[in-house]
Amino acid sequence: MGRFENQGVAYKGFAIMAFLVVILAGIKAASPIVVPFVLSAFIAVICNPVIDWLARYRVPRGLAIMVLMVFIVLMGLWLASIVGSSINEFSQQLPHYRDQLVQQFSWVIDKLQAFNITVSRDQLLAYFDPGIALSMTTNMLSSVGGVMANLFLIILTVVFMLFEAQTLPKKLHFALDDPDMRLKQIDKFLHSVNQYMVIKTLVSMGTGLIVGIGLAIIGVDYALLWGVVAFLFNYIPNIGSIIAAIPSVLLAFIQIGPGAAGMTALLYLGTNMVMGNVIEPRYMGRGLGLSTLVVFLSLIFWGWLLGSVGMLLSVPLTMIVKIALESSQSGGWLAILLADDVSSPSGQQAASDDIEAETPRD
């Protein structure tokens, strides 16, 4: 009997893996449709608390949605025009910046040779081209801008999602055969995702604002562009701030000098230490943390699956998976593996849920 049970478990595992492969292949094939939908869902989650806040002051929900959408469209068009022009100018200057960076890199190689450290210049530049960091930033922003070209479809989807936001929890209860509203995990899941996205967006906006103003004071070109980059990459903790700081530090080094590059690096370091280690944990708590390895792997996975938008939303998407696993009795163990600390509140809660589910009741 035991052998047949083990075979059944193995077949079940293979079936689940095949099921996941088919789903992921379908998502990747349908990414031109899936990416705008995912982006619309995140925008709707961020906007829903503002709609609820306006509803408390007896503003009709339809009017509040329309006013907010008009404001978002106007701000988006204004920001897109400024950032788009900055990207175009920066792209035109990119070969010049790249050549200057290569010259500075060659100077480092010459200094190494002075200490009898022989390095092949052409081979080293072929493997470690310092201009790639600048090119990657512009390419990623251009890819995100390409997705935003479907602005009308995204805004229309957000409007319909916001109109359905009030009835979505009830539909989920009925869809999961819980008409008496006893399934508290659904409410906890929706509230946790909403709270995480809103707080993360506000912290990211503050980070981008501080970085943009600081770079403008230092005198680095395209300060608004780098502020937008800092805002977007702040959704990726641990490594996102490093990726966002590299092109700004390199540009400050080329444009002004080593002192400005050092001040730029300190600006990013100080901003991310305050926002990431003081402000964000105070309002969000440390229970939603992911391990550094999971953050890096999620960046690769979601970037492969959904492109540049998947890279920017990799951590929020992984957080949704983690919160969903925490809300289920059978997935708590996987949520613990995704967490950054076993002793975190979320990990303890998931573990306690599993223990409680496995304990026989009288």
Side-chain angles (χ1 to χ4, degrees):
M1 263 320 266
R3 185 181 68 179
F4 291 108
E5 290 180 358
N6 292 334
Q7 289 180 350
V9 172
Y11 288 144
K12 183 178 179 181
F14 283 122
I16 293 175
M17 292 177 62
F19 182 68
L20 290 176
V21 169
V22 172
I23 291 179
L24 294 177
I27 293 176
K28 186 170 180 60
S31 58
I33 301 175
V34 174
V35 169
F37 177 79
V38 171
L39 199 58
S40 302
F42 277 100
I43 295 176
V45 168
I46 295 170
C47 294
N48 190 55
V50 180
I51 303 298
D52 293 337
W53 178 76
L54 293 174
R56 295 194 193 102
Y57 292 92
R58 298 184 178 181
V59 177
R61 188 173 184 85
L63 179 61
I65 292 174
M66 293 304 171
V67 171
L68 184 60
M69 289 300 102
V70 170
F71 174 76
I72 291 176
V73 169
L74 293 178
M75 289 296 296
L77 292 176
W78 172 76
L79 191 62
S81 63
I82 297 178
V83 174
S85 61
S86 299
I87 291 177
N88 292 332
E89 294 177 6
F90 182 71
S91 300
Q92 294 175 359
Q93 296 291 329
L94 188 59
H96 174 67
Y97 290 146
R98 182 182 178 278
D99 291 339
Q100 287 186 312
L101 275 173
V102 170
Q103 291 177 4
Q104 297 291 344
F105 206 59
S106 300
W107 177 80
V108 174
I109 296 175
D110 294 336
K111 289 298 182 181
L112 290 176
Q113 290 179 351
F115 292 96
N116 294 326
I117 301 176
T118 304
V119 180
S120 176
R121 177 177 306 178
D122 295 335
Q123 186 176 5
L124 192 61
L125 290 177
Y127 285 108
F128 301 99
D129 186 355
I132 293 179
L134 301 178
S135 302
M136 287 179 58
T137 303
T138 55
N139 292 336
M140 178 169 291
L141 289 175
S142 299
S143 300
V144 175
V147 175
M148 293 304 295
N150 299 320
L151 182 62
F152 178 75
L153 175 62
I154 293 174
I155 294 298
L156 195 62
T157 307
V158 170
V159 169
F160 284 116
M161 286 181 175
L162 289 175
F163 275 113
E164 292 286 334
Q166 288 183 318
T167 60
L168 180 60
K170 182 181 290 186
K171 289 181 179 179
L172 286 176
H173 281 291
F174 278 99
L176 296 177
D177 195 19
D178 185 41
D180 297 329
M181 308 298 177
R182 294 189 300 267
L183 200 57
K184 301 298 183 182
Q185 289 88 346
I186 295 177
D187 301 327
K188 178 184 176 182
F189 168 73
L190 295 175
H191 176 72
S192 299
V193 172
N194 198 322
Q195 182 185 32
Y196 173 81
M197 285 304 303
V198 171
I199 294 176
K200 192 66 178 178
T201 300
L202 293 176
V203 172
S204 299
M205 290 176 62
T207 301
L209 185 64
I210 295 173
V211 168
I213 295 175
L215 292 177
I217 294 175
I218 295 173
V220 180
D221 290 339
Y222 313 110
L224 179 60
L225 176 63
W226 306 128
V228 174
V229 171
F231 162 72
L232 294 175
F233 280 81
N234 194 66
Y235 283 99
I236 308 173
N238 303 325
I239 60 177
S241 58
I242 299 175
I243 299 174
I246 290 176
S248 302
V249 173
L250 292 177
L251 185 60
F253 179 71
I254 296 172
Q255 180 189 347
I256 304 176
M263 293 175 61
T264 303
L266 290 176
L267 172 66
Y268 276 92
L269 180 62
T271 302
N272 286 281
M273 286 188 63
V274 173
M275 302 299 288
N277 297 327
V278 179
I279 304 299
E280 186 173 322
R282 177 179 180 183
Y283 293 98
M284 188 181 298
R286 298 186 181 273
L288 299 178
L290 296 171
S291 68
T292 306
L293 178 61
V294 171
V295 170
F296 181 71
L297 294 179
S298 66
L299 179 68
I300 297 175
F301 173 76
W302 293 110
W304 165 79
L305 190 64
L306 300 176
S308 299
V309 175
M311 294 179 66
L312 296 177
L313 298 179
S314 59
V315 172
L317 288 170
T318 308
M319 281 303 313
I320 290 176
V321 174
K322 180 173 178 288
I323 294 172
L325 291 172
E326 290 174 353
S327 301
S328 66
Q329 295 180 348
S330 60
W333 65 273
L334 188 54
I336 295 176
L337 294 179
L338 296 177
D340 59 346
D341 189 2
V342 178
S343 61
S344 63
S346 60
Q348 290 179 351
Q349 181 64 34
S352 63
D353 290 343
D354 284 348
I355 294 174
E356 182 179 356
E358 294 175 0
T359 302
R361 299 181 183 273
D362 294 334

